[in-house]
Amino acid sequence: MAFPADIQAVESYRAVRSFLKSYAGNESTFNSYRTHVERLLLWTLTKARIPLLDMRRTHAEEFLEFCLAPDPGWVGPVVKSRFTRLGARKKTASDSYVLNEDWKPFSQSASKEERKRAKEENRPLLQEHYKPAQGSIAQIFAVCGSFFQHAIDEGFCEHNPFRAVKQKSKYKQRTTGDQDTRILTSLQWDFVLETAEQLAAQDDKYERTLFIVATIFAMYLRVSDLVGRENWTPSMGDLRQDGAGNWWYHVVGKGNKAGKISVRDDYIENYLKRWRLHQGLSPLPGFRETTPLIATRRGRAGLSDRHIRVLLQEVFDRALERMQDEGWSDEDVARLRAASLHWLRHTSATFDAPHRDMKDLQVDLRHNSLSTTQNVYYNSEDEKRAYSAKRLPMKERN
């Protein structure tokens, strides 16, 4: 597509590339920021038809409105790669790439729960209108504001149109969202863990799955804490006992920040030892042991993000089937249809919050801010407010 010279497409592209280049050292941040500034660039070129660096406050507000309800042609059912690789099965430096015609700037797919229900009821999926994820508009606002600040610093422009948007604008308001929608009930979690244990008892190939389920839950892990990163592969030696007999899991987390997570005794005794003995290892890890924490069946260190999610999905599916077979109501089983790996982290932290100091839980969850831990897992103000209202009668007040 050729653009008129007056909308300065090349200059706009170079400004965006300069901004993204400053985040090249952090892949997750780069990918997130690219998504948002890429949409902004495309919107200015194809919708607003203005030079990106000439945007004003009204343009910023129009763009944010567009992100709330993008044109249907901008929305795809799943996230697609921007380019398609042409070459042999194994990627090489000589491969060429072409634009992927199926790629869309926005993606919207049916919820996991809807896909499960459609399969159970043998019906087509019900596609909903595009809805931005919780907090995504606030993130778009922040990223685009950062882009223009970078452009000012580099001398590309002299003003930041997103900064001019009113502080109390609806675009900066984060949706409250229901955190408890990503949490299993105690009943559901019991079925999940029992299902993993039953599978392992019936077939030892599921010992690894049981270990993964228990490990994520016991230490509030993200999938990257099991998969590893470019500069770190999780090993048994990352589980270390200190002089006082306490166990810690040493990780490299988001932003390549090193940290350690306290490990509960129940996990060590009943799940770590079991997994190690199954592998023919000593019951407890040795000092600086290099054995992979998890491995493929052929012994290669580490599993992919997708592989781990597939293993856990089977457990969720089997647990759901067990609950349905035992006659539990749809209300009792519903959340299992939507459950994913990350739910185990939230579920465990929610269960543990009443029994742990808030600061200790924050450190183990590796939240940068204590307020994040407090708002998500210690809803004391909500509890007080609910308690003050729930017993008020509808009539005959004294």
Side-chain angles (χ1 to χ4, degrees):
M1 177 185 290
F3 297 101
D6 61 348
I7 65 173
Q8 301 173 20
V10 174
E11 292 83 351
S12 300
Y13 166 76
R14 287 174 176 167
V16 168
R17 186 176 65 176
S18 173
F19 172 68
L20 292 176
K21 190 175 181 180
S22 63
Y23 294 97
N26 190 317
E27 183 178 2
S28 60
T29 301
F30 176 90
N31 290 336
S32 174
Y33 281 24
R34 178 178 65 175
T35 295
H36 299 309
V37 294
E38 184 176 57
R39 291 171 180 171
L40 179 65
L41 175 61
L42 291 172
W43 180 84
T44 57
L45 294 177
T46 65
K47 297 294 293 183
R49 308 290 289 181
I50 58 172
L52 172 63
L53 299 173
D54 285 352
M55 282 183 67
R56 294 293 185 266
R57 176 184 60 79
T58 55
H59 298 129
E61 292 177 341
E62 289 172 9
F63 172 68
L64 292 167
E65 287 285 357
F66 181 81
C67 289
L68 287 170
D71 293 348
W74 285 53
V75 183
V78 293
V79 177
K80 298 280 188 179
S81 298
R82 292 163 176 78
F83 301 95
T84 300
R85 184 175 62 86
L86 302 178
R89 182 175 180 180
K90 188 175 181 180
K91 186 184 296 187
T92 66
S94 61
D95 290 341
S96 60
Y97 294 80
V98 297
L99 289 173
N100 182 355
E101 295 182 358
D102 292 329
W103 177 81
K104 304 292 182 183
F106 297 85
S107 62
Q108 173 80 349
S109 60
S111 68
K112 188 175 180 181
E113 181 177 2
E114 166 59 19
R115 294 197 301 271
K116 287 283 185 185
R117 287 187 180 277
K119 185 177 180 180
E120 291 172 11
E121 299 168 11
N122 193 28
R123 60 169 174 78
L125 291 172
L126 300 177
Q127 292 289 351
E128 300 179 353
H129 292 295
Y130 176 81
K131 292 187 295 186
Q134 178 183 344
S136 66
I137 294 299
Q139 186 179 25
I140 293 169
F141 190 100
V143 173
C144 292
S146 295
F147 162 71
F148 273 98
Q149 187 57 54
H150 171 85
I152 292 171
D153 294 341
E154 295 297 315
F156 297 141
C157 65
E158 298 180 352
H159 59 273
N160 186 337
F162 287 87
R163 180 178 293 176
V165 176
K166 293 180 180 179
Q167 289 296 310
K168 294 185 179 180
S169 166
K170 63 181 179 180
Y171 310 118
K172 299 188 76 174
Q173 296 174 358
R174 293 178 180 268
T175 55
T176 56
D178 293 327
Q179 289 292 338
D180 65 351
T181 59
R182 294 183 296 167
I183 299 168
L184 298 176
T185 64
S186 294
L187 174 67
Q188 291 162 349
W189 164 243
D190 287 344
F191 265 90
V192 168
L193 185 58
E194 288 172 5
T195 298
E197 291 174 338
Q198 288 178 9
L199 289 171
Q202 296 164 4
D203 188 337
D204 64 6
K205 77 176 185 180
Y206 289 103
E207 286 289 344
R208 181 179 60 180
T209 302
L210 172 61
F211 177 70
I212 291 172
V213 170
T215 301
I216 293 172
F217 183 87
M219 294 182 281
Y220 325 117
L221 299 188
R222 302 180 177 96
V223 67
S224 57
D225 300 325
L226 286 178
V227 172
R229 300 177 184 277
E230 289 185 3
N231 59 340
W232 173 65
T233 300
S235 69
M236 286 292 182
D238 291 320
L239 284 158
R240 306 169 198 168
Q241 189 175 33
D242 64 20
N246 303 309
W247 282 90
W248 304 89
Y249 181 45
H250 293 253
V251 299
V252 177
K254 292 173 66 175
N256 290 322
K257 293 181 180 178
K260 65 178 185 179
I261 304 166
S262 55
V263 184
R264 62 194 79 195
D265 292 343
D266 187 12
Y267 167 79
I268 296 292
E269 292 297 320
N270 296 306
Y271 298 99
L272 177 63
K273 287 184 177 180
R274 173 174 176 161
W275 172 235
R276 289 181 59 81
L277 291 173
H278 170 72
Q279 293 181 292
L281 303 170
S282 60
L284 294 173
F287 180 63
R288 293 183 178 176
E289 183 177 336
T290 59
T291 305
L293 190 67
I294 52 175
T296 65
R297 297 202 180 282
R298 296 181 179 180
R300 179 178 59 80
L303 299 180
S304 69
D305 177 320
R306 181 179 179 278
H307 193 166
I308 290 176
R309 294 181 190 279
V310 168
L311 294 177
L312 263 65
Q313 188 57 54
E314 181 178 1
V315 177
F316 289 136
D317 291 345
R318 296 284 190 97
L320 174 63
E321 291 172 4
R322 283 184 59 218
M323 293 190 74
Q324 290 175 324
D325 291 343
E326 292 183 19
W328 291 94
S329 69
D330 191 68
E331 180 181 355
D332 289 321
V333 306
R335 291 186 184 182
L336 271 177
R337 292 191 181 93
S340 65
L341 179 152
H342 204 65
W343 283 41
L344 298 185
R345 169 179 163 89
H346 289 296
T347 299
S348 181
T350 301
F351 290 174
D352 292 352
H355 312 289
R356 299 199 65 186
D357 179 83
M358 189 187 307
K359 182 65 177 176
D360 292 338
L361 186 60
Q362 176 210 351
V363 175
D364 280 344
L365 285 165
R366 288 157 293 150
H367 287 158
N368 291 328
S369 170
L370 182 61
S371 64
T372 301
T373 310
Q374 180 178 15
N375 293 338
V376 176
Y377 301 109
Y378 293 86
N379 298 312
S380 57
E381 294 303 318
D382 285 351
E383 291 169 5
K384 291 177 183 177
R385 182 152 58 101
Y387 183 81
S388 69
K390 67 191 300 181
R391 289 175 174 77
L392 294 177
M394 295 292 287
K395 58 184 180 179
E396 297 181 1
R397 298 192 180 201
N398 297 322

